[in-house]
Amino acid sequence: MTYLASDDLDAARSALRESLILAQNLGLRPEKVEGISAAVACFQRLGRNEQAAVWAGAIYGDMEIDSYLFEPVCSLLASALGSDAYQHALESGKPLSLDDVVAEAISSI
């Protein structure tokens, strides 16, 4: 998230990919959830709003999320996509498994 805050998107993507790979390999659920939360923020910044909203749907409401950082990103996604498209993307993400979302994020970053 520090790289995102400093607008270093290349470093953010690299660090995010490394952290997701590590969380996946070690089976660390809280770190997977936080990694996907960071991926949502990163993809929102890259303008890939629909993908970001689908991933948000997969983890929305999870206790491991830092809602202070997550909710503003979700508000930006809702604004960018419009409420109907945003809700549709969130719903699309709900049935996805965390491991599948992590694997998709790793391959997409």
Side-chain angles (χ1 to χ4, degrees), residues 1-108:
M1 295 303 265
T2 302
Y3 291 123
L4 282 178
S6 65
D7 285 326
D8 190 345
L9 296 180
D10 290 332
R13 291 171 67 188
S14 177
L16 178 56
R17 186 171 193 280
E18 287 179 37
S19 69
L20 284 169
I21 289 170
L22 185 60
Q24 185 81 323
N25 289 342
L26 296 175
L28 304 172
R29 187 184 183 290
E31 286 75 8
K32 289 179 193 179
V33 171
E34 281 296 328
I36 293 302
S37 176
V40 167
C42 185
F43 270 55
Q44 183 275 321
R45 291 289 284 283
L46 292 168
R48 295 177 66 183
N49 296 313
E50 188 171 340
Q51 182 64 64
V54 170
W55 290 347
I59 61 169
Y60 203 89
D62 196 295
M63 297 302 291
E64 306 293 346
I65 296 174
D66 181 351
S67 62
Y68 177 76
L69 298 172
F70 190 66
E71 291 299 325
V73 171
C74 289
S75 292
L76 290 171
L77 290 171
S79 255
L81 293 171
S83 61
D84 289 341
Y86 174 68
Q87 285 302 319
H88 177 71
L90 281 181
E91 293 298 320
S92 297
K94 285 183 182 178
L96 301 176
S97 76
L98 180 58
D99 286 335
D100 288 345
V101 174
V102 169
E104 184 178 332
I106 290 169
S107 69
S108 299

